């Protein structure tokens, strides 16, 4: 029975039901209902995603802070165990090594048992995804928990393994963004939109960096430089909005938890404000950048070579394939044994965490001048007010410990990058660069103990400023980014060193980019991920390379007048996804493409109706309903390599057909482009 309807007395509006007519406060109830409907339309409007960006930033900030909180508790428990276990060297050694070994082996085993995509940094795979390549299940939300647990255990192992958080957290942020996009699509009952999802993924990469360092500016710029070959300005405000929300929440949480009184920088420095550097020192900063560039080339070459050796050596490759936790245990045991404080770790400042390493290296005092006439004692525990004591040894001096730290950490970092567990590799190279800058600054302070005279006034050398420049320059050279300079300013609040730090970063990048691929591109090369490399040889000769020089001329076409027997023979003898369709066998004029799956289905439907004596051709199948897709973009044999490369990058293409005056003469895919770029960078030997 239908409900009775009527009109309120004195009204001329729409009829209402009796339930609405006699319910209490009908106008308020209708207003609330209309308001909620309006809010739903606004929140889930197709073109509006600010709420998702804000949610993403806040969620990732909460997760980042919770991870740091849990890691801090575990690290303090390890320190307590090492301190209270007694004076026995055996027990102290076991407490120092077994703890990180157990954590890293669990991290490797747990994350790999859930999903094989949770290991490593994640940034090389994200670069591949953003170019249009589909990596199945890589952004699945089930990987999220495995990577969070694995990364927490990795970071809780402390300075023994010496790994960071940035790369995996970018991967976590992108996974969360992909999940929120799917939730939004289900809420508005809309099919997946690749362009909208890519916008969210680009913003998520910026959030991942911003919620680790509380640095929204460098987070956005770093994500652009590392993950994008071309950047849409439309994504700019999304990245900044989401990164700002995440960074703000990440810095507010310690205040809410009474850990800090107000929002401050992560690494506090005390450089002088009036004249932080003198004009002649700019030359020394540029030299420091050149040193960082040269060392980064050596590091990138050795890291990629060793990673390739691990994958080709039969014993190590079998160990990684069958028992990843065992490899993690062996590698961590080596690193932990070396960093044992009463042993070699005494000369590596191994009792300091990564944050304490940077706090000590950014010290504005000259250690070489302080220790020239005095010898500070090595305290039983690190002194928070004098962390630089950890770098001093009466026999090695400051220069000896810093140089030994650089030599040992060079190969220890390379070994740590091969451990199959969730880990970031940016922060270790940032600390390594700070040590290079500190060594250079200490040498200058010893060479100029009274300082450098400028304008009749003598200003002392500040080694901490060189450590800041070295951190930005070396990490920027390893990752091929300039935004590390901005990151150094946001981490320390020291904008006064903007000019020398930026010049050091530019000098380091000029050397590194001309000699070696970046850390992430090198990993892509070793893992053989489907990624289109940049054209590094941009001389005048590279512009003379055209498509005709490297296109694949072996092309299988289907003509409209081709008999069905020949069509069946072609389809069954090849396994390509789509076939170029030409007007006729004689003209070879390209008119479109036919997908193999749809053509096979049409042929199976058409085969019973083949009449004896009647010659059927492909045109009959097309007229019977087999769809043909038009070709909107094609290459010419005279198209340059640079233009073809730009087409593939901008439009995320996998292959393009080549036509000459409308005739199909070949095709170009990633394989041909990669080979052409490789021949341009490393020309083959003449025959």
């Amino acid at each position: 029975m239908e409900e009775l309807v009527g009109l309120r007395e004195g009204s001329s509006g729409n009829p209402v039901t009796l339930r609405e007519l006699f319910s209490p406060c009908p106008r308020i109830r209708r207003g609330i209902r209309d308001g909620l409907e309006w809010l739903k339309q606004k929140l889930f409007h197709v073109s509006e995603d600010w709420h998702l960006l804000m949610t993403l930033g806040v969620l990732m900030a909460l997760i980042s802070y919770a991870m740091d909180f849990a890691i801090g508790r575990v690290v303090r428990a390890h320190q307590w165990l090492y301190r209270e276990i007694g004076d026995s060297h055996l027990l102290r050694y076991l407490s120092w090594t077994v703890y990180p070994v157990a954590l890293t082996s669990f991290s490797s085993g747990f994350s790999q048992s859930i999903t094989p995509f949770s290991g490593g940094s994640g940034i090389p795979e994200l670069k591949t995804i953003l170019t249009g390549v589909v990596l199945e299940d890589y952004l699945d939300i089930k990987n999220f928990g495995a990577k969070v647990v694995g990364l927490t255990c990795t970071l809780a192992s402390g300075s023994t393994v010496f790994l960071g958080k940035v790369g995996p957290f970018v991967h976590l942020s992108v996974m969360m963004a992909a999940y929120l996009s799917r939730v939004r699509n289900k809420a508005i009952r809309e099919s997946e939109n690749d362009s909208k999802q890519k916008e969210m993924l680009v913003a998520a990469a910026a959030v991942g960096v911003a919620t680790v360092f509380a640095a929204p500016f460098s987070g956005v710029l770093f994500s652009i430089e590392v993950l994008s070959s071309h950047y849409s300005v439309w994504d700019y405000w999304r990245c900044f909005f989401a990164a700002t929300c995440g960074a703000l929440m990440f810095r507010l949480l310690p205040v809410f938890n009474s850990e800090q009184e107000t929002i401050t920088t992560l690494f506090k420095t005390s450089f002088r404000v009036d004249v932080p550097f003198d004009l002649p020192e700019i030359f020394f900063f540029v030299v420091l950048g050149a040193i960082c560039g040269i060392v980064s080339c050596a590091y990138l070459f050795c890291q990629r070579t060793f990673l390739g050796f691990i994958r080709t050596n039969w014993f190590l490759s079998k160990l990684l394939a069958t028992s990843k936790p065992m490899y993690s245990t062996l590698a961590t045991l080596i690193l932990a044994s070396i960093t044992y404080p009463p042993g070699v770790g005494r000369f590596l400042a191994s009792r300091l965490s990564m944050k304490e390493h940077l706090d000590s290296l950014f010290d504005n005092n000259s250690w070489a001048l302080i220790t020239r006439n005095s010898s500070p004692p090595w305290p039983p525990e690190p002194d928070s007010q004098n962390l630089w004591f950890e770098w001093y040894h009466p026999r090695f001096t400051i220069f000896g410990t810093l140089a030994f730290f650089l030599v040992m950490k060079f190969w220890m970092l390379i070994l740590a990058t091969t451990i199959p567990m969730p880990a970031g590799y940016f922060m270790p190279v940032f600390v390594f660069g700070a040590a290079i800058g500190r060594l250079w600054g200490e040498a200058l302070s010893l060479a100029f103990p009274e300082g450098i005279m400028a304008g009749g006034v003598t200003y002392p050398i500040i080694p901490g400023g060189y450590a800041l420049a070295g951190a930005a320059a070396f990490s920027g050279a390893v990752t091929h980014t300039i935004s590390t300079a901005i990151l150094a300013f946001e981490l320390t609040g020291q904008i006064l060193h903007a000019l020398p730090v930026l010049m050091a970063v530019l000098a380091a990048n000029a050397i590194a980019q001309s000699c070696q691929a970046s850390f992430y591109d090198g990993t892509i090369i070793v893992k053989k991920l489907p990624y289109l490399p940049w054209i590094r040889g941009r001389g005048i000769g590279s512009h003379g390379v055209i498509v005709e020089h490297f296109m694949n001329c072996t092309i299988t076409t289907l003509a409209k007048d081709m008999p069905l027997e020949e069509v069946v023979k072609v389809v069954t003898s090849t396994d390509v996804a789509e076939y170029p369709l030409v007007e006729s066998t004689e003209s070879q004029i390209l008119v479109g493409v036919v997908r193999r799956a749809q053509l096979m289905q049409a042929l199976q439907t058409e085969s019973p109706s083949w009449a004896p004596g009647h010659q059927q051709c492909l045109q009959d199948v097309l007229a019977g309903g087999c769809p043909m897709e038009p070709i909107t973009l094609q290459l010419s044999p005279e198209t340059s390599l640079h233009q073809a490369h730009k087409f593939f990058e901008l439009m995320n293409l996998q292959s393009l057909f080549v036509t000459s005056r409308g005739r199909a003469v070949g095709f170009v895919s990633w394989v041909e482009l990669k080979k052409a770029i490789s021949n341009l960078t490393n020309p083959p030997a003449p025959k």
Side-chain angles (χ1 to χ4, degrees), residues 77 80 97 119 136 147 178 227 290 295 336 349 397 452 673:
W80 175 86
T97 56
E136 294 293 339
K147 195 134 193 172
L227 296 176
V295 177
T397 72
I452 297 178
L673 266 181

Side-chain angles (χ1 to χ4, degrees), residues 31 43 103 163 188 290 406 416 444 472 536 576 611:
L43 286 179
L103 288 171
L163 292 174
I188 61 177
L406 292 175
L444 291 176
R536 298 179 59 202
V576 294

Side-chain angles (χ1 to χ4, degrees), residues 283-293 433 436-437 440 465-467 469-470 473 504 508:
F283 171 75
F284 297 134
F285 279 101
V286 175
V287 173
L288 173 61
I291 294 173
C292 290
I436 295 177
W440 178 249
Y466 289 91

Side-chain angles (χ1 to χ4, degrees), residues 91-104:
L91 293 178
R92 302 194 78 181
Y93 171 78
L94 291 176
S95 67
W96 181 267
T97 56
V98 172
Y99 207 87
V101 165
L103 288 171
T104 54

